[in-house]
Amino acid sequence: MTLQDDQGRPEPPLASGEAETLVGFLEYQRATFAWKCSGLDVAGLNATVGASTMTLGGMLKHLAYYEDHWFSHRMRGNKRQAMWNDDYWDADPDWEWNSAAQDSPEDLHALWHEAVSRSRDLLSETLVDGGLDQPARRSFPDGRMPSVRWIVVHMIEEYARHNGHADLIRESVDGLVGE
């Protein structure tokens, strides 16, 4: 049984193997992000703080893209999901951030949850098929190949960084605070 904190986030294991510990911290960061974005309407998901144009809605779409990019496209070598067609970025390099303002909260949450679900399945399969040491199936443009471990740690970092942004934005929307 996985222990949960007061916000319903799964506690990372205190004494497990490397893969379980890394996945535990990734799941904790994902749950923190979900908590920070929960229960908000369009205005809440489009709120900004200070000079930044970053929004929680934009983060939902950006992190959905990153889930698919790293776990499906890079790690497993799959083609991109149709909605991540590169044509969007030709007109706007920040397309996923900017286009989120036109999406409903329900659509943004569904997009992110579906991407996370796919990523969980792909990571589980990959760990069974060879663990963290194996290389990704798609290299960087310069030919370097990250390991599965690198991808998992990178995604923990990506969520942790954006959770800091989400803390500030959510507090400005309705005062919700917490780690």
Side-chain angles (χ1 to χ4, degrees):
M1 183 173 133
T2 303
L3 294 176
Q4 294 188 340
D5 68 8
D6 294 341
Q7 286 73 39
R9 297 174 295 181
E11 295 278 351
L14 295 177
S16 287
E18 182 183 17
E20 295 85 2
T21 300
L22 289 174
V23 170
F25 273 94
L26 178 58
E27 290 298 337
Y28 181 82
Q29 293 297 331
R30 285 172 173 159
T32 298
F33 182 68
W35 172 47
K36 294 297 177 174
C37 294
S38 67
L40 294 175
D41 60 10
V42 171
L45 289 180
N46 285 319
T48 62
V49 173
S52 176
T53 60
M54 199 176 291
T55 67
L56 292 171
M59 275 185 244
L60 281 163
K61 199 164 193 176
H62 170 75
L63 288 168
Y65 168 71
Y66 260 51
E67 289 279 353
D68 280 335
H69 174 77
W70 286 107
F71 290 112
S72 180
H73 185 67
R74 289 268 182 233
M75 185 181 75
R76 295 298 282 192
N78 297 328
K79 291 184 177 185
R80 293 191 191 280
Q81 297 286 322
M83 77 157 306
W84 305 125
N85 184 329
D86 287 341
D87 294 344
Y88 297 123
W89 279 278
D90 291 343
D92 180 2
D94 293 323
W95 170 79
E96 81 273 33
W97 292 95
N98 296 327
S99 66
Q102 284 79 52
D103 298 328
S104 72
E106 296 79 17
D107 287 345
L108 290 167
H109 283 282
L111 178 69
W112 181 74
H113 283 287
E114 290 164 8
V116 166
S117 180
R118 280 190 302 275
S119 294
R120 282 184 182 125
D121 291 344
L122 292 169
L123 182 57
S124 291
E125 291 169 13
T126 300
L127 292 174
V128 167
D129 291 344
L132 293 167
D133 290 332
Q134 66 184 299
R137 294 187 182 166
R138 190 178 302 273
S139 68
F140 293 138
D142 66 5
R144 293 179 302 141
M145 187 73 72
S147 68
V148 171
R149 177 183 291 101
W150 188 96
I151 291 170
V152 172
V153 171
H154 176 65
M155 287 301 293
I156 293 168
E157 176 271 334
E158 187 72 16
Y159 273 99
R161 188 167 64 100
H162 287 310
N163 281 337
H165 302 132
D167 280 340
L168 295 172
I169 295 170
R170 184 62 190 253
E171 184 176 4
S172 77
V173 171
D174 62 6
L176 180 112
V177 295
E179 61 179 71

